[in-house]
Amino acid sequence: MTKLIYDADIDGAALDGQTVAVIGYGSQGEAHARNLSESGATVVVGLRPDSTSAERAREAGLNVTDAASATKEANVVMVLVPDTAAPSVYHNEIEPNLQDGALLMFAHGFNIHFGTIDPPGGIDVGMVAPKGPGHLVRRLYEGGGGVPALFAVHRDATGTARARTLAYAAAIGAGKAGILETTFAEETETDLFGEQAVLCGGVTSLVTAGFETLVDAGYQPELAYFETMHELKLIVDLMYQGGLAYMRYSISDTAEYGDYVSGPRIVDERVRAEMKRILTEIQDGSFAKRWIAEGADGAPEFRRMRGENARSRIEEVGAELRSHMAFLNPRSAPDGWTDDGRAGSTPEAAAATAAGARERAE
Ligand code: NAD
Ligand code: MG
């Protein structure tokens, strides 16, 4: 009685005769456009005239134009520009050019859910959100597999939104791994909560606090780095393969006992209460409002925090240690990424930031 949807449950013909515009050619855009095209869909990529990705898209054999022209030609328009850029791209280039009965799609629910994009009535609105970075969406497809995805239909004006959204998901390979139905609200709220409380915010704060506790107590920073950051991957890999029990089975009994007695002291009632408050701020829109206002103002707080965090002790120690571990394929954000956007910020730095979005995902 699986709720998941697989290729056999999907009518791939729902996209027959349709043109799909993929707007943006970054982490997700490149993967979607190439997978769709190889699955037999007619694809047009919509990019800014000065886009540095256009050449790469053409080399991949794709038809490239600007976002407005791509939208005019298309029955399905997938918006794969950064979520903060999507409202202006949508209002200036997409909405005025949407065909009647077009299906407007997203890979994340943020703008529809928080109302920063509000498509006109006759337009279908759907979502396919791969649960993995773009390079995996591409690599697994090439190997005959796929990344699982969430799908949702926000509005079905034509009666074909569901079939077309599912056919799209299958064409990028998600039907090989499993597609789970959700709503724009559920996807947006859980995605924001997960990245804030656990995956990004929770983990980075935990690692940093553990590292600083050891260093402040006089232990060697290199040792503290190995202990609190380097080893984390080994633990996470075990959890990924076999859940918490398999990880606990694989570690020593001493480590497992310490896990049970000390873990709940770290993530205690206060932390759980704070998680609930964070979830409430996501649900009531106050996080979105703060982030949208920050973006509208040139994101000074965001840039300041990015710079401060990038210059922290654990980052300095870690960069040096990783530079001796070539087998890790050490990576770093491009020069200029931590520029705080005030005096001295250059267009080159801004371009490096945009390029970094791709690099980081790989
Ligand atoms: P990205 O930053 O990798 O790529 C964005 C692309 O849009 C780039 O080609 C960039 O040049 C282009 N672009 C930027 N500003 C533009 C503008 N003003 N006009 C036209 N094009 C512009 O973005 P991404 O990570 O692929 O994210 C795209 C969508 O996919 C977002 O909705 C995101 O939430 C969602 N998503 C991303 C991931 C992921 O792993 N990266 C996973 C699931 C969902
Ligand atoms: Mg996510």
Side-chain angles (χ1 to χ4, degrees):
M1 219 189 63
T2 175
K3 289 198 295 182
L4 282 148
I5 298 168
Y6 297 96
D7 279 345
D9 313 311
I10 296 171
D11 177 15
L15 287 182
D16 283 359
Q18 306 243 314
T19 295
V20 182
V22 174
I23 311 299
Y25 201 71
S27 174
Q28 292 291 330
E30 176 165 9
H32 289 222
R34 296 183 72 183
N35 294 5
L36 282 158
S37 173
E38 284 168 33
S39 293
T42 305
V43 176
V44 53
V45 177
L47 294 175
R48 283 177 293 199
D50 61 342
S51 169
T52 52
S53 322
E55 195 51 43
R56 235 181 36 254
R58 288 201 181 91
E59 275 166 20
L62 295 161
N63 193 355
V64 181
T65 180
D66 58 279
S69 312
T71 303
K72 271 183 207 156
E73 293 180 36
N75 309 92
V76 177
V77 180
M78 175 54 119
V79 182
L80 293 175
V81 301
D83 297 305
T84 41
S88 73
V89 175
Y90 173 79
H91 290 113
N92 298 329
E93 303 189 63
I94 298 176
E95 189 177 279
N97 297 300
L98 282 169
Q99 287 189 18
D100 262 1
L103 166 63
L104 180 70
M105 293 185 68
F106 298 86
H108 178 38
F110 191 96
N111 284 298
I112 292 290
H113 180 62
F114 291 116
T116 33
I117 292 179
D118 183 16
I123 299 297
D124 287 350
V125 183
M127 167 170 44
V128 171
K131 290 286 98 183
H135 73 281
L136 278 187
V137 172
R138 178 63 190 157
R139 194 192 302 156
L140 291 178
Y141 177 91
E142 287 179 297
V147 165
L150 302 179
F151 97 100
V153 174
H154 172 70
R155 186 194 297 131
D156 191 351
T158 66
T160 63
R162 185 184 174 85
R164 289 195 288 173
T165 303
L166 280 171
Y168 183 106
I172 63 166
K176 303 268 186 317
I179 302 165
L180 183 67
E181 183 157 17
T182 182
T183 60
F184 275 63
E186 185 183 48
E187 187 275 338
T188 304
E189 290 167 2
T190 55
D191 193 68
L192 292 173
F193 178 79
E195 65 203 18
Q196 292 179 26
V198 182
L199 303 173
C200 308
V203 170
T204 56
S205 289
L206 184 69
V207 164
T208 304
F211 172 85
E212 288 176 355
T213 300
L214 288 175
V215 173
D216 289 346
Y219 297 102
Q220 301 178 70
E222 294 79 6
L223 192 160
Y225 173 83
F226 287 139
E227 191 59 44
T228 61
M229 176 117 79
H230 183 81
E231 264 195 70
L232 184 62
K233 171 165 167 51
L234 312 176
I235 296 297
V236 169
D237 283 349
L238 293 167
M239 287 164 41
Y240 184 73
Q241 287 179 294
L244 301 179
Y246 180 69
M247 183 277 285
R248 286 166 168 158
Y249 159 78
S250 305
I251 61 181
S252 70
D253 284 358
T254 311
E256 185 186 353
Y257 181 68
D259 168 340
Y260 298 136
V261 298
S262 297
R265 292 175 59 191
I266 298 293
V267 181
D268 60 7
E269 282 312 311
R270 196 204 65 80
V271 172
R272 286 171 185 261
E274 200 57 42
M275 282 189 176
K276 285 204 182 102
R277 273 194 288 277
I278 286 169
L279 182 58
T280 302
E281 288 166 23
I282 290 167
Q283 291 166 332
D284 70 14
S286 40
F287 169 78
K289 197 171 154 198
R290 178 177 167 186
W291 175 223
I292 291 164
E294 173 72 10
D297 194 31
E301 184 193 24
F302 177 56
R303 288 160 174 275
R304 176 184 56 74
M305 294 188 294
R306 176 186 279 174
E308 284 170 8
N309 277 276
R311 287 184 287 274
S312 64
R313 279 188 295 180
I314 191 169
E315 292 288 74
E316 280 171 20
V317 175
E320 165 62 18
L321 292 172
R322 289 190 300 274
S323 75
H324 296 280
M325 295 190 275
F327 64 90
L328 288 183
N329 186 18
R331 306 293 288 258
S332 59
D335 289 345
W337 183 72
T338 56
D339 197 301
D340 68 6
R342 288 175 299 198
S345 177
T346 60
E348 292 72 32
T353 302
R358 270 188 51 70
E359 287 274 303
R360 284 199 308 286
E362 294 174 2

